[in-house]
Amino acid sequence: MSRIGKMPVTLPQGVEVKVSKGNLVTVKGPKGTLTQQLHPDLLIEIEDGTLEVKRPTDQKRHREAHGLARALINNLVVGVSEGFVKELELVGVGYRASNETMKQLLELSLGYSHPVLFYVPEEVKVEAKQEKGKNPIIRLESHDKQLIGQIAAKIRAFRKPEPYKGKGVRFVGEEIRRKAGKTAGKK
């Protein structure tokens, strides 16, 4: 039995879950509404504030989908009740971020000859902070974990952290493996 799959999902106050035909799960909460299509063979049971995912057999395809379905439902429930936050920091001389012209348009200066413009979807709240003496930080907030992860990965891909000086866009708290430069080999 899947360790993750057999754990029940607790539904907080104000979160409503509906399972329609074909296992289309809709979760409504204070932060919004999310839907997810799950494997049609799985059984989803809702009893007094908890939700459990059960599989019909021990076939490989059912075992594979069991833990995944529970994790996806848990992400939906956490998203509509609490939401998710991702923070990216820009490390490098002259690296800046701003969204002052339009709230959903992020303008990044990442050492290229031109600014990088990136439009963030309406479901994600974006905020660019810049304090004197500290690296600029981009804060992303959303109820959809998949969407916020995709947006953060796209922003990071504009200038990935390089291993020699550590410059680039990285997640706050991310450890970059550093390499020694050419001087390390000289005698």
Side-chain angles (χ1 to χ4, degrees), residues 11-16 27-34 76-83 143:
L11 302 174
Q13 203 69 35
V15 174
E16 198 177 299
V27 181
K28 247 184 206 168
K31 298 245 180 195
T33 305
L34 291 170
L76 298 179
V77 170
V78 171
V80 298
S81 59
E82 300 165 26
H143 62 284

Side-chain angles (χ1 to χ4, degrees), residues 96 98 105-112 114-118 158:
R96 287 190 308 273
S98 70
L105 186 69
L106 195 59
E107 186 178 339
L108 303 165
S109 299
L110 298 173
Y112 297 119
H114 55 82
V116 177
L117 299 174
F118 183 69
F158 287 132

Side-chain angles (χ1 to χ4, degrees), residues 3-141:
R3 289 183 186 174
I4 293 172
K6 65 183 175 185
M7 287 172 28
V9 177
T10 56
L11 302 174
Q13 203 69 35
V15 174
E16 198 177 299
V17 178
K18 287 184 191 153
V19 182
S20 60
K21 199 170 181 117
N23 275 0
L24 181 72
V25 178
T26 307
V27 181
K28 247 184 206 168
K31 298 245 180 195
T33 305
L34 291 170
T35 58
Q36 180 75 47
Q37 179 66 49
L38 299 175
H39 195 285
D41 292 348
L42 295 176
L43 307 165
I44 299 164
E45 297 172 355
I46 304 166
E47 296 170 4
D48 46 81
T50 59
L51 181 141
E52 279 191 48
V53 180
K54 297 198 170 148
R55 60 182 186 225
T57 66
D58 266 349
Q59 292 179 3
K60 189 172 189 322
R61 62 192 178 104
H62 291 147
R63 289 196 318 260
E64 289 169 348
H66 188 212
L68 172 70
R70 190 263 176 206
L72 289 173
I73 291 172
N74 190 52
N75 287 342
L76 298 179
V77 170
V78 171
V80 298
S81 59
E82 300 165 26
F84 296 101
V85 175
K86 291 232 183 225
E87 287 186 330
L88 298 143
E89 79 178 311
L90 285 69
V91 180
V93 177
Y95 285 16
R96 287 190 308 273
S98 70
N99 63 333
E100 286 154 17
T101 51
M102 286 174 54
K103 280 290 173 208
Q104 296 306 108
L105 186 69
L106 195 59
E107 186 178 339
L108 303 165
S109 299
L110 298 173
Y112 297 119
S113 61
H114 55 82
V116 177
L117 299 174
F118 183 69
Y119 182 76
V120 180
E122 295 292 327
E123 294 89 22
V124 180
K125 278 174 51 185
V126 64
E127 179 189 349
K129 294 186 285 191
Q130 198 157 353
E131 292 179 29
K132 193 169 174 78
K134 291 186 179 175
N135 293 326
I137 290 180
I138 301 168
R139 182 183 162 92
L140 302 170
E141 204 172 324

Side-chain angles (χ1 to χ4, degrees), residues 160-180:
K160 285 188 178 171
E162 52 94 26
Y164 297 103
K165 289 187 178 177
K167 289 169 38 170
V169 181
R170 65 172 81 160
F171 294 105
V172 171
E174 180 182 3
E175 291 290 323
I176 305 298
R177 270 190 64 203
R178 302 295 293 271
K179 290 184 179 178

